[in-house]
Amino acid sequence: MKKRASVTQKQIADRAGVSQTVVSLALSNSYDVTLSEETRQRVLEVADELGYVPQAAAKALVRGRSANLGLVLIRPHYQVFRDPFIPNIITGMSGVVRAHGFRLLVEHIDSLDQINTIANLLKGGEVAGIVLLTSYGLENIVDPLVEDGYPIVMLEASRKAYYGVGLDHITGVKFAAKHLVTLGHRRIACITFGPFPNDHIQRRLNAFCEPLLEAQIDRNDIWVREGNYDPDSGYEAMQSLLQVRPLPTAVFGMNDMMALGAMRAIHEAGLRIPEDIAVIGYDDMRFAPFTHPTLTTVCAPEVEQGQAAGEMLIRLISGERIAERQYALVPQLIIRNSCGGQVLHLNT
Amino acid sequence: MKKRASVTQKQIADRAGVSQTVVSLALSNSYDVTLSEETRQRVLEVADELGYVPQAAAKALVRGRSANLGLVLIRPHYQVFRDPFIPNIITGMSGVVRAHGFRLLVEHIDSLDQINTIANLLKGGEVAGIVLLTSYGLENIVDPLVEDGYPIVMLEASRKAYYGVGLDHITGVKFAAKHLVTLGHRRIACITFGPFPNDHIQRRLNAFCEPLLEAQIDRNDIWVREGNYDPDSGYEAMQSLLQVRPLPTAVFGMNDMMALGAMRAIHEAGLRIPEDIAVIGYDDMRFAPFTHPTLTTVCAPEVEQGQAAGEMLIRLISGERIAERQYALVPQLIIRNSCGGQVLHLNT
């Protein structure tokens, strides 16, 4: 392959008659800066004339860090990228990463014998830092890396010492439970995630039950079934719940996909939503405002989470001091028609 | 940060008493090989003892290539990753990429002033090769790279000379059109992609109209509206189509998202699906088997496309001769209930 001589940003700055800062901003395709389109274009043209090529790998070795930021996803699920949560995180992270001239490396780990990947990416200099989902059960792997000062931001932080931007799902599921209680439901089912055990999910389930028990609903009038994220599993879980007598009057799907599957099973049983059984979901996926009836759900700001995690990671890499190591974005109840009640948002 | 001395795979092989090939297979987390779990574990343990760290950046410079494969997405749409097509491609590509010990670098380009990124990734040695979506209108950028021998595989190849694994959407949309004709529809609407012009989409629209015109349907009885991939846009397009008198008896959404939005608009108008208006979608998204009624659609094997594109790219990088430079996977009609007709798949 043809090789070109390496051209520096200084050479570009001199030729274009602008500062090196302007050059680096223009070349980083930064959004959030106020470069005139004219200046940006001129810098890019000069960079082209001179045949400028960012030698990322070389820079990585020289600076002892990489131009890549890693998004490491640990999920026992080969279809991890079809879970809309991940594309939302990537959407939010990708913009920030590019705006700062980094690139996004996406790594999926679906079995524990690949767990060394986390250390290898960082120690091998393949990435300057990592946004990690999830740290649960991996503290023995993550702790030494954090102690060595490698920049890592968690999407689900399992220790106070970790940096993390989370979603407050505990509050989110309580919104769903309180909404059902407010509407007078006393026999309530929940389709949760399973079958692999996960404290995080268990805490979410407990949080959902809390407002129900506070409202004096009998434990025996709360039914729990396990799904696996996919609508098919919500469909099957609901078919099992339709055997319960008397029928539950409301069902909570811990994601919209499973809620959608539950809706299908209810329709096929010839029952009405919400008159016979109310359905509430979680996530506010793209399709939620368009189901029949439209799906009442809880909106978790996932794109914003990806954005905030990327920003925190870049601040860590830049050596900034970060006072607030962890914070969580709070979800929002979106009332549509699947539980009755007025429509707050038709399109989200 | 602590630094460790670099350990070679040969040292690991000697210590573990296995061949270097076995070591490299075990360390690449390869799926499609028949390493005993015991051997894999032993190699990983020894690698840990010795503190093995793949120096990807260093290797990249030495070998003149990177351990990363790029997926470069050119879409004038900031929510590119929320278009389920992309997660499906990533799903298919990610498995193959990891199985061969590479990592996946995902780069989104949403404006033409960032177009140099393609050349920079390859010439800067940031990636060993690229899977590119799309080459349309970028031939002047792509041709020199292909001539220089950089490994590039297209998901939508605009030249015979390019390597590519595509989806045969021309055949796919014809399946949709023929299905509507077979069911006796004579007044048919299509919600296509817009507003930015795109030959590819125009060809798809023409292909949809072809079977209608062959069936002697009057051009004036074919209505076209533009959407933007999102359900909201399908909802708005359908609201406009509901003003047509007499009403079209069938509508084709060029993706399931827009078809879903159209279904919502039809429901809100108090009309029945399929009795008053039949709806057919495209993509067979996760939610399609669960809408009310279930959505008849065309299934494009997107995950398989990502897989095949990744495999072709790795063969190119390995210097293999590839006889068939381009081929396209053929979609499949999935008949559910939104157009009437029998159910072939309830769950897909």
Side-chain angles (χ1 to χ4, degrees), chain A residues 57, chain B residues 56 59-61 63-69 102 125-129 317:
Chain B
K59 276 188 290 182
L61 289 186
R63 294 191 316 232
R65 70 177 178 85
S66 161
N68 303 329
L69 299 189
F102 286 92
E126 293 183 64
V127 297
I317 291 166

Side-chain angles (χ1 to χ4, degrees), chain B residues 330-341:
Chain B
V330 178
Q332 177 189 9
L333 176 68
I334 310 284
I335 299 176
R336 297 196 181 98
N337 297 328
S338 60
C339 298

Side-chain angles (χ1 to χ4, degrees), chain A residues 1-2 4 29 31 37 40-41 44 48 52-58 61 68 78 81-82 87-88 90-91 94 98 103-110 113-114 116-117 120-121 123-124 126 148-151 230-232 235 257 260-261 264 267-268 286-287 289-292 294 303 346-347, chain B residues 1-2 4 29 31 37 40-41 44 48 52-58 61 68 78 81-82 87-88 90-91 94 98 103-110 113-114 116-117 120-121 123-124 126 148-151 230-232 235 257 260-261 264 267-268 286-287 289-292 294 303 346-347:
Chain A
M1 300 180 189
K2 296 173 192 165
R4 284 169 154 185
N29 301 326
Y31 288 140
E37 197 47 39
R40 178 203 291 277
Q41 281 311 326
L44 293 175
D48 260 6
Y52 171 76
V53 175
Q55 292 292 344
L61 289 187
N68 303 329
Y78 108 96
F81 297 105
R82 301 183 79 178
N88 287 345
I90 295 179
T91 301
S94 162
R98 288 191 303 140
R103 305 204 186 280
L104 182 62
L105 192 89
V106 177
E107 189 76 2
H108 175 208
I109 296 177
D110 62 5
D113 65 353
Q114 304 156 21
N116 293 331
T117 300
N120 294 346
L121 279 168
K123 298 185 176 180
E126 293 184 63
D148 283 2
Y150 289 106
D230 292 336
D232 318 59
Y235 177 82
M257 283 285 191
L260 180 68
R264 177 84 232 133
H267 282 307
E268 287 181 5
R286 302 290 302 151
F287 62 74
F290 299 94
T291 56
H292 185 68
T294 56
V303 174
L346 177 59
N347 299 331
Chain B
M1 301 180 188
K2 297 175 193 166
R4 284 167 154 186
N29 300 327
Y31 288 141
E37 198 45 41
R40 177 202 291 278
Q41 282 309 327
L44 293 177
D48 261 5
Y52 171 77
V53 174
Q55 291 292 345
L61 289 186
N68 303 329
Y78 107 96
F81 297 104
R82 303 183 79 178
N88 287 344
I90 295 178
T91 301
S94 160
R98 288 191 302 140
R103 304 204 186 281
L104 182 62
L105 192 88
V106 178
E107 189 75 1
H108 174 209
I109 296 177
D110 61 5
D113 64 355
Q114 302 158 21
N116 293 331
T117 299
N120 294 346
L121 279 168
K123 298 185 176 181
E126 293 183 64
D148 284 1
Y150 288 107
D230 292 336
D232 318 58
Y235 177 83
M257 282 287 191
L260 180 69
R264 178 84 231 132
H267 281 307
E268 287 181 7
R286 301 291 303 152
F287 62 75
F290 300 94
T291 56
H292 186 67
T294 57
V303 174
L346 177 60
N347 299 333

Side-chain angles (χ1 to χ4, degrees), chain A residues 239-304:
Chain A
Q239 282 186 315
S240 141
L241 289 166
L242 287 169
Q243 307 308 313
V244 173
R245 291 292 179 272
L247 279 173
T249 63
V251 58
F252 169 54
M254 218 176 261
N255 72 2
D256 286 351
M257 283 285 191
M258 297 192 296
L260 180 68
M263 286 174 81
R264 177 84 232 133
I266 295 167
H267 282 307
E268 287 181 5
L271 298 171
R272 295 161 305 161
I273 303 170
E275 295 81 352
D276 299 317
I277 301 182
V279 178
I280 184 166
Y282 199 95
D283 286 343
D284 194 31
M285 291 184 191
R286 302 290 302 151
F287 62 74
F290 299 94
T291 56
H292 185 68
T294 56
L295 184 61
T296 291
T297 186
V298 176
C299 176
E302 297 173 339
V303 174
E304 293 73 8

Side-chain angles (χ1 to χ4, degrees), chain B residues 219-265:
Chain B
R219 274 198 181 282
N220 300 322
D221 292 337
I222 303 173
W223 293 268
V224 176
R225 295 290 184 274
E226 285 181 341
N228 69 355
Y229 292 87
D230 292 336
D232 318 58
S233 66
Y235 177 83
E236 283 154 26
M238 192 66 222
Q239 282 186 314
S240 139
L241 289 166
L242 287 170
Q243 306 309 315
V244 174
R245 291 294 176 272
L247 277 174
T249 63
V251 57
F252 170 53
M254 217 175 261
N255 72 3
D256 286 352
M257 282 287 191
M258 295 192 297
L260 180 69
M263 286 173 81
R264 178 84 231 132

